[in-house]
Amino acid sequence: MAGKKSDKTAKAAKTAAKPATAKRTVPKKTASASKAETSGKTSRAKAAGKTLIIVESPTKARTLSRVLGAGYLVKASVGHVKDLPPSRLGIDVDHDFALEFEVHPDKKKVLSEIRSEAKSAREVYLASDPDREGEAIAYHIAMELEALPRPPKRVLFHELTEGGIRTALSEPGEIDVRKVEAQKARRALDRIVGYTISPLLWDRVRRGLSAGRVQSVAVRLVCDREEAIARFVREEYWTIDARFRPEDVRVPPTFLSRLDRVSGEKPSFPDGDSAGQAVERIRQERFTVGEITRSDKKRNPSPPLTTSRLQQEAANRLRFSAKKTMTLAQRLYEGVDLPGHGPVGLITYMRTDSVRVSPEAAEAARRWIRENHPDALPSRVPAYKNRKGIQDAHEAIRPADVARTPESLRASIDPDLFRLYDLIWKSFMESQMAPALYLQTTVLVEGDRGDVFRASGRVLKSPGFLALRGLSSDMAAPGEEGSAGEGEDRLLPPLETGEVVTLEEVTPDQHFTEPPPRYSEASLIRELEEKGIGRPSTYATILSTIQDREYVEKKETRFYPTDLGKAVNSLLVESFPDLMSVRFTARMEEELDQVEEGERGYRDVVGDFYTPFHHEVEKAKKGGMANLKKLEIPTEVPCPVCQSPMNRKWGKNGPYLSCSRYPECRTTRNFTEEDGQIRIVEEALPEGEVCQACQAPMVVKKGRFGTFLACSRYPECKTTRPWPPKPEAALTPVDPALAPVCPECSSAMVQKRGKFGSFWACSRYPDCKGTRPMATGLPCPVKDCKGELVPRRGKRGTFYGCSRYPECTYLLNGEPVKDPCPDCRFPYRVRVGKKSVELVCPNEACSHATTGG
């Protein structure tokens, strides 16, 4: 691209700066039309006489194409093709809550291709996922294909194996309109809540916040748990353990027991003194073996995995987030590339709350158990009962083919996919195996002064499903049967009633009651499921959303509410008690299920919700919801500058302390609150960091986007810069004496980094908003011009021009690189193309590749 002389107009310079290759390029409109025409002909040629199958994901499409072969054409919609408009409510609340669905701009091309291919296809099958969202996708695509002479058919792929695919295609059905209505109802409720409450939060708290019908209740659970922890009062208590030895030498030679009764009553030791007195009494006693109870106990395997339990087990065992678990499970369902096989679906559909297993899958599992663990084969197929009110449309999550053991796939799939598949495969196989059988023994050891100790132990008689983990009756798992562990999992020596035992030691142990634990991903999912909030398919989204919105944060493995989360939750609970009620939210989920079952209509459910909700919204708008932006709460914390009391305020970055003498004193401080005590967070002084504008020390402050450095003379000096500095964002130190002066007020300028890179800004900002681009250090090549190249921002992105513009109009549409041309020794070359690393010479007179012509 050629630079032009300074005496020519800017328009001429821009015209000359067009790439030389443009002359050889086919006009865009003609090329696009030609391409579209060719694409349309090719698509229709491919689809002619074939069966068209429309799925959601490209991965699923590849798997189906491999299995079905040349007679089928599989097209992916890549999710929803229609949705409510992003810029308005999209619900006509005055006319039966009609939804205004429109084609997503990114999906117009996809829909056009689907219509084109459907016209010449022999049959059209809609095979989106077998759930409410999938049914809605199928419905919207069907509406776009209304002009077809034969309406599309609906097929449900519960597993992407050859048998499962062929069976589904042989049994096509119709779109389940009731499922579509249930999805519409959920979408309408969520949109009404989000688009109505969010503006209130913008006005009362800060812009950019949002509320969700289900997510807000999940935040409330986290906040309520935090409040319960804060209210908790720890209490002390003591227990007493004793170790006894039979008179004969036996294995094990001693056994541990715990004090269970004192004169027939449960022992209670609130402090060390009372426990110590009991210990002294016990040491004087003689002990004999009292009642011995032996019984067989079964340990049943867990039911097959549902979506909720899969997320919980993956969180507990594999430390996977719910989002990661569902992403990996989706890949396992849609198909994983296996050497020699191509994409193969390894598990059944992963969104289900049913523990039902098909007879064919149960029989396949029994064949494998019979061949590999015959002793663990139950006499009949285990039966598991679904919870009340669950949707039983899909089987439990299981391997699509039990013959594909995890070990056979270890070398063929990614480590995380392997770990999740291993969990699913073993969980399913264990659920089809016999229970483990233990011999449990309980022994009472009685003292002659009324103290009774209890000892328990158990021995594995038959491993049952535990055999899959490599356990046998003579091998104990860590922390389970065997070894002298705590609680129930220990061996006892053979004892007889009336036998004298010797007290080896007695130990008092101090304990404290524990507050309720903070939620982990697994426990929060379990809580949501037990309380009927959301559905298994939404749990991962709920947990991701409340973190993305900064309402909760995860520290290690536990959820903590943020200050923002606490504030928003408090406002919503006060202004919308029904919406934030756990019971109300659960009832709404039940009503959505009733829509799917045909017991209630879409308009009835949405209308019953909207009327009282709208009343609460109007009340909140008229002053029923507190305005945190205007709220000032007096505190007893003295201002570190003038010693006046400070007020607690709320800003866009959260709560902070501000001097009550504002605006005479503008001192502000961040703070922490522990046990009701407010403590100022002292501002750190990084060594050697000084303000570029006034040379005063810089202090570390915390803002919406993290920590940063600010001048300690604020508000007289408002200079800031990132902290800690990122390597790629580090600014080259500049001597203040060499810094340019502001073109607006002639004050010194300082370096800053913005969205489009480094630049010079006036040190008097925001009183003066003068800026200058940061020079590249490369001279303008125009003869007799004293300027240098600087980056500028235009409609089409960043370009480089002379710093003396408009006197000099030289410009480049590429990034100049200090790399001399090998032919003409021009001092720099230009990087061209978005993905290319090609460097070309900008000198028109050079025979080397140039940027202009």
Side-chain angles (χ1 to χ4, degrees):
M1 303 176 189
K4 296 302 172 183
K5 305 296 186 200
S6 59
D7 58 345
K8 294 187 178 182
T9 63
K11 182 177 181 182
K14 291 180 181 179
T15 303
K18 292 181 180 179
T21 54
K23 298 177 183 178
R24 301 189 296 272
T25 304
V26 179
K28 288 185 178 179
K29 186 174 182 180
T30 305
S32 176
S34 175
K35 184 178 179 181
E37 183 179 352
T38 303
S39 175
K41 290 179 179 178
T42 303
S43 297
R44 286 191 292 274
K46 287 182 179 178
K50 294 186 178 183
T51 297
L52 174 64
I53 300 178
I54 304 169
V55 296
E56 287 185 43
S57 80
T59 303
K60 191 174 179 180
R62 284 197 309 122
T63 303
L64 288 169
S65 296
R66 180 193 66 81
V67 172
L68 295 173
Y72 293 82
L73 180 64
V74 187
K75 178 69 179 175
S77 70
V78 197
H80 282 274
V81 295
K82 284 186 172 183
D83 200 359
L84 297 176
S87 58
R88 62 181 188 278
L89 181 63
I91 302 174
D92 191 342
V93 297
D94 297 322
H95 297 87
D96 293 332
F97 304 98
L99 301 181
E100 302 173 26
F101 283 109
E102 60 183 32
V103 176
H104 194 282
D106 294 341
K107 298 300 174 66
K108 289 182 179 179
K109 181 180 178 181
V110 173
L111 268 178
S112 176
E113 292 174 356
I114 289 175
R115 291 192 202 96
S116 176
E117 291 161 353
K119 287 178 182 177
S120 53
R122 184 175 65 244
E123 292 279 359
V124 178
Y125 290 123
L126 304 175
S128 47
D129 288 348
D131 55 18
R132 287 177 185 169
E133 296 299 321
E135 210 70 26
I137 292 172
Y139 175 80
H140 290 148
I141 294 175
M143 293 298 100
E144 294 296 314
L145 301 178
E146 282 184 317
L148 293 179
R150 300 177 63 183
K153 297 178 181 178
R154 179 76 166 116
V155 292
L156 305 176
F157 294 129
H158 298 286
E159 58 184 72
L160 296 185
T161 59
E162 183 165 0
I165 293 169
R166 301 287 182 190
T167 300
L169 289 174
S170 67
E171 301 172 351
E174 303 295 330
I175 291 175
D176 189 339
V177 179
R178 295 186 302 189
K179 270 189 179 180
V180 176
E181 290 288 292
Q183 191 273 343
K184 285 171 55 181
R186 176 182 293 279
R187 193 74 183 89
L189 295 175
D190 291 344
R191 176 57 72 100
I192 289 171
V193 172
Y195 270 56
T196 307
I197 296 183
S198 297
L200 278 172
L201 296 179
W202 292 11
D203 183 56
R204 265 68 169 183
V205 186
R206 80 176 190 207
R207 290 191 64 82
L209 296 182
S210 58
R213 183 181 60 85
V214 178
Q215 292 90 335
S216 296
V217 179
V219 173
R220 179 178 185 176
L221 292 177
V222 177
C223 291
D224 287 351
R225 178 60 56 90
E226 196 68 22
E227 290 177 4
I229 293 171
R231 292 194 305 267
F232 179 80
V233 179
R234 195 171 65 159
E235 296 182 0
E236 180 184 8
Y237 70 97
W238 291 69
T239 59
I240 297 177
D241 292 337
R243 186 171 292 279
F244 294 98
R245 177 176 55 80
E247 291 187 345
D248 298 334
V249 178
R250 307 178 189 184
V251 179
T254 63
F255 62 95
L256 191 66
S257 59
R258 174 158 292 182
L259 184 61
D260 186 64
R261 289 285 188 273
V262 176
S263 300
E265 301 292 333
K266 275 287 184 183
S268 176
F269 305 114
D271 51 46
D273 291 340
S274 58
Q277 293 172 9
V279 167
E280 290 302 319
R281 181 182 70 249
I282 291 168
R283 286 174 177 161
Q284 308 302 318
E285 288 185 85
R286 292 179 66 256
F287 290 92
T288 57
V289 175
E291 180 182 1
I292 300 175
T293 305
R294 295 182 177 90
S295 59
D296 287 337
K297 297 290 184 181
K298 287 183 179 180
R299 179 182 171 186
N300 293 313
S302 298
L305 291 174
T306 60
T307 303
S308 169
R309 275 200 53 241
L310 173 65
Q311 293 170 353
Q312 294 175 50
E313 293 291 321
N316 289 329
R317 298 190 189 186
L318 309 178
R319 295 295 184 262
F320 287 175
S321 67
K323 183 177 181 180
K324 179 176 181 177
T325 297
M326 295 308 294
T327 299
L328 293 173
Q330 184 92 26
R331 290 176 61 189
L332 290 172
Y333 163 69
E334 292 182 341
V336 178
D337 283 315
L338 300 181
H341 297 279
V344 176
L346 296 179
I347 66 171
T348 55
Y349 191 59
M350 65 287 162
R351 293 188 179 93
T352 177
D353 48 7
S354 172
V355 295
R356 176 175 57 83
V357 174
S358 70
E360 295 79 11
E363 184 54 40
R366 291 178 67 81
R367 284 197 300 270
W368 189 92
I369 297 168
R370 188 180 294 111
E371 294 172 3
N372 295 275
H373 297 285
D375 293 339
L377 183 68
S379 58
R380 57 184 178 182
V381 176
Y384 296 98
K385 187 176 181 180
N386 281 318
R387 292 186 303 107
K388 182 180 179 181
I390 66 97
Q391 301 297 302
D392 194 32
H394 317 299
E395 284 186 69
I397 303 170
R398 60 171 176 81
D401 182 359
V402 297
R404 282 199 171 92
T405 63
E407 286 305 315
S408 69
L409 299 175
R410 183 186 287 273
S412 304
I413 60 178
D414 295 341
D416 284 346
L417 283 174
F418 168 78
R419 295 173 69 195
L420 189 65
Y421 181 73
D422 181 68
L423 172 63
I424 293 170
W425 190 90
K426 287 180 178 176
S427 295
F428 172 68
M429 296 306 297
E430 286 180 354
S431 73
Q432 302 303 302
M433 298 171 78
L437 184 62
Y438 293 91
L439 174 62
Q440 181 164 304
T441 304
T442 302
V443 176
L444 300 181
V445 180
E446 301 171 347
D448 56 6
R449 296 189 180 182
D451 294 309
V452 178
F453 286 82
R454 177 186 295 271
S456 297
R458 63 179 184 176
V459 177
L460 182 63
K461 294 175 64 177
S462 174
F465 72 95
L466 296 176
L468 197 61
R469 308 184 193 182
L471 300 183
S472 63
S473 56
D474 58 353
M475 183 189 304
E480 291 193 357
E481 54 285 353
S483 69
E486 294 296 326
E488 299 290 317
D489 302 323
R490 66 170 71 93
L491 290 174
L492 294 176
L495 299 168
E496 298 293 337
T497 300
E499 180 178 352
V500 176
V501 291
T502 302
L503 177 65
E504 288 279 305
E505 62 178 342
V506 58
T507 307
D509 290 316
Q510 184 185 35
H511 306 275
F512 293 93
T513 53
E514 296 290 336
R518 292 181 176 88
Y519 289 111
S520 64
E521 288 225 354
S523 60
L524 183 53
I525 288 171
R526 184 169 59 249
E527 187 80 357
L528 292 171
E529 182 180 37
E530 290 177 354
K531 294 186 178 298
I533 301 171
R535 280 294 175 259
S537 59
T538 66
Y539 295 153
T541 302
I542 292 171
L543 268 57
S544 295
T545 301
I546 63 178
Q547 293 177 81
D548 293 343
R549 290 176 178 172
E550 300 178 1
Y551 293 152
V552 305
E553 59 184 341
K554 193 194 295 185
K555 298 178 181 178
E556 295 180 350
T557 61
R558 299 288 172 174
F559 285 121
Y560 291 73
T562 62
D563 289 334
L564 176 63
K566 292 177 183 177
V568 171
N569 176 69
S570 177
L571 291 178
L572 294 181
V573 169
E574 182 178 352
S575 299
F576 302 96
D578 283 344
L579 179 69
M580 297 295 290
S581 164
V582 171
R583 183 176 298 178
F584 178 82
T585 305
R587 194 178 78 238
M588 290 304 303
E589 294 294 343
E590 293 173 0
E591 292 185 4
L592 291 174
D593 292 341
Q594 290 172 358
V595 174
E596 182 172 337
E597 293 161 6
E599 298 175 4
R600 296 202 65 185
Y602 157 77
R603 291 170 181 79
D604 294 336
V605 170
V606 178
D608 289 349
F609 170 81
Y610 180 78
T611 302
F613 174 73
H614 180 68
H615 175 73
E616 289 183 343
V617 170
E618 291 302 311
K619 183 178 178 182
K621 286 180 178 179
K622 294 176 181 177
M625 178 183 283
N627 192 332
L628 293 187
K629 292 180 179 179
K630 300 178 180 179
L631 189 64
E632 295 187 19
I633 303 176
T635 73
E636 297 179 358
V637 179
C639 172
V641 175
C642 70
Q643 302 304 307
S644 299
M646 301 194 81
N647 291 337
R648 183 172 179 168
K649 291 186 175 182
W650 183 273
K652 62 181 180 180
N653 301 323
Y656 67 98
L657 295 178
S658 174
C659 183
S660 58
R661 292 183 59 244
Y662 177 87
E664 289 79 11
C665 178
R666 296 173 178 265
T667 303
T668 62
R669 288 291 187 270
N670 292 324
F671 69 92
T672 61
E673 188 172 10
E674 297 178 3
D675 301 326
Q677 298 295 316
I678 296 177
R679 296 178 177 84
I680 289 179
V681 176
E682 296 298 332
E683 296 175 334
L685 294 168
E687 186 176 355
E689 297 293 338
V690 296
C691 176
Q692 290 177 307
C694 67
Q695 304 302 299
M698 301 288 279
V699 295
V700 178
K701 288 184 175 283
K702 185 176 181 181
R704 179 181 178 186
F705 302 108
T707 55
F708 63 96
L709 287 184
C711 182
S712 57
R713 293 184 59 246
Y714 177 87
E716 288 79 13
C717 179
K718 296 183 173 68
T719 302
T720 63
R721 64 174 182 263
W723 185 264
K726 298 178 181 178
E728 66 274 13
L731 298 174
T732 305
V734 175
D735 186 340
L738 302 178
V741 296
C742 175
E744 302 292 336
C745 68
S746 299
S747 300
M749 303 196 82
V750 295
Q751 288 177 295
K752 291 203 173 186
R753 178 170 288 275
K755 182 178 180 181
F756 305 111
S758 303
F759 64 97
W760 290 105
C762 182
S763 58
R764 293 182 58 245
Y765 177 86
D767 297 324
C768 177
K769 297 182 180 180
T771 61
R772 284 186 59 176
M774 191 72 69
T776 61
L778 299 174
C780 174
V782 176
K783 186 178 180 180
D784 298 329
C785 180
K786 302 296 185 181
E788 58 182 330
L789 298 182
V790 295
R792 299 187 185 279
R793 187 73 182 170
K795 290 190 294 183
R796 297 183 180 180
T798 302
F799 66 94
Y800 291 78
C802 181
S803 59
R804 294 184 60 247
Y805 178 85
E807 289 79 9
C808 178
T809 57
Y810 180 86
L811 62 86
L812 290 170
N813 283 341
E815 178 187 0
V817 178
K818 196 172 184 179
D819 184 27
C821 173
D823 291 350
C824 70
R825 307 310 299 171
F826 197 83
Y828 55 85
R829 290 191 288 168
V830 178
R831 180 179 286 115
V832 297
K834 292 183 178 179
K835 298 182 180 180
S836 172
V837 294
E838 180 186 7
L839 296 177
V840 297
C841 180
N843 184 7
E844 290 185 30
C846 180
S847 59
H848 192 73
T850 68
T851 60

